[in-house]
Amino acid sequence: MSRIIVITSGKGGVGKTTTTANLGMALAKRGRNVAVVDADFGLRNLDLLLGLENRIVYTAVEVLSGQCRLEQALVKDKRQPNLSLLPAAQNRMKDVVTADQMKQIVAQLVGKYDYIVIDSPAGIEMGFQNAIAAATEAIIVTTPEIAAVRDADRVVGLLEANGVKKINLIVNRIKPAMVEANDMMSVEDVQEILAVNLLGVIPDDERVIVSTNRGEPLVLADQPSVAGVAFDNIARRLEGEKVAFLDMRVPQENFFSRLRKRIFG
């Protein structure tokens, strides 16, 4: 059976779309057939992060209106043919698709793909309700900031109320030095508040911005960054592998580096 996973958060700007693109690509690299579904109608960014924006002809809206078949709207990635994107319509409002219609689209993907990964819009209004309608499990993405964690906590409750019981957590943009200085919540702090299973921790990484601008997910890099490795590890954990979490502690300075700092400033 297909696994239908919604990537959500509540708060905007925490890295849902980056997570969807990298996780989808990491799973495809592992030989799984993956459909990533952009449920952010009216904005649409998943195509940009995957570098597929110039290949979109039809969207989910045309599929629902009968203007095209689902197969015509799906955009297959040339770098990783196991990955297909179902784009959202950029020129329509968020309420253009209903929850029932989202279920209808996802039902057509079930059985053809091992994973159906749905990128949820920010907020908890209609777009969120549509995105979670067909999901059987969820991944909550949050940054270690109190506002983001509070929104994530609200989303946990909404998911459970809507029958999505399998919920995992990704803590994004962690800065170990700030955590050590007590200027940022730790992963343990976030876990304690949300009380859901930790699936992965992504360090703050400037290469995320570069990869976003280029439409090249981090997991495709020949020399993956720490964040790219973290996304690969998340895919492995989703598959049931036992993978140790990356060591996010700040490396301790040795005697010589401390001495060098004291002399040269």
Side-chain angles (χ1 to χ4, degrees):
M1 276 296 290
S2 305
R3 290 180 68 178
I4 309 165
I5 305 170
V6 65
I7 311 287
T8 186
S9 70
K11 190 177 184 299
V14 296
K16 287 185 299 293
T17 305
T18 301
T19 298
T20 305
N22 279 283
L23 187 54
M25 195 65 82
L27 289 165
K29 271 173 56 186
R30 293 175 63 79
R32 304 291 178 251
N33 284 323
V34 182
V36 289
V37 179
D38 194 341
D40 197 355
F41 292 89
L43 289 176
R44 190 176 90 189
N45 284 314
L46 187 53
D47 57 317
L48 288 172
L49 270 68
L50 289 167
L52 299 174
E53 68 275 13
N54 294 327
R55 294 183 48 211
I56 293 172
V57 179
Y58 298 110
T59 71
V61 172
E62 280 82 42
V63 175
L64 289 166
S65 64
Q67 291 173 256
C68 72
R69 299 188 318 278
L70 178 64
E71 291 72 25
Q72 291 175 290
L74 286 164
V75 182
K76 190 166 279 198
D77 194 288
K78 288 179 178 175
R79 300 155 301 188
Q80 199 54 254
N82 288 335
L83 182 95
S84 296
L85 163 71
L86 180 60
Q90 197 174 8
N91 57 347
R92 306 292 186 94
M93 298 308 290
K94 288 187 186 299
D95 59 1
V96 71
V97 174
T98 66
D100 284 341
Q101 286 176 318
M102 183 60 78
K103 286 181 186 175
Q104 183 187 323
I105 280 186
V106 171
Q108 293 182 60
L109 297 168
V110 169
K112 298 173 185 172
Y113 294 90
D114 302 308
Y115 288 88
I116 301 160
V117 185
I118 303 165
D119 185 24
S120 169
I124 54 170
E125 293 82 31
M126 183 59 71
F128 167 78
Q129 296 294 337
N130 291 343
I132 70 170
T136 53
E137 50 189 293
I139 295 173
I140 291 190
V141 182
T142 186
T143 50
E145 303 156 87
I146 194 65
V149 174
R150 185 173 66 177
D151 286 359
D153 191 38
R154 177 87 196 279
V155 165
V156 170
L158 290 170
L159 287 165
E160 289 173 342
N162 281 272
V164 182
K165 305 297 183 191
K166 190 173 183 180
I167 304 170
N168 285 305
L169 170 68
I170 292 176
V171 181
N172 193 22
R173 298 199 198 117
I174 198 91
K175 295 184 179 182
M178 287 185 72
V179 172
E180 202 161 283
N182 284 324
D183 291 329
M184 177 179 273
M185 296 172 77
S186 69
V187 174
E188 292 74 24
D189 293 335
V190 177
Q191 267 187 288
E192 194 174 322
I193 294 167
L194 299 181
V196 291
N197 179 61
L198 183 66
L199 187 65
V201 181
I202 314 291
D204 194 51
D205 189 341
E206 289 179 358
R207 283 174 65 178
V208 172
I209 298 167
V210 177
S211 82
T212 299
N213 290 338
R214 290 181 179 166
E216 287 278 341
L218 291 164
V219 295
L220 289 180
D222 292 331
Q223 293 182 309
S225 61
V226 181
V229 172
F231 279 120
D232 269 323
N233 287 349
I234 288 167
R236 291 168 63 192
R237 289 188 198 104
L238 262 186
E239 295 263 84
E241 281 188 43
K242 299 279 188 221
V243 186
F245 287 93
L246 297 175
D247 187 354
M248 295 288 178
R249 288 171 301 185
V250 179
Q252 296 300 310
E253 292 182 309
N254 61 32
F255 170 77
F256 294 106
S257 60
R258 285 199 302 273
L259 186 64
R260 199 177 299 117
K261 266 190 181 175
R262 201 168 296 160
I263 296 169
F264 299 108

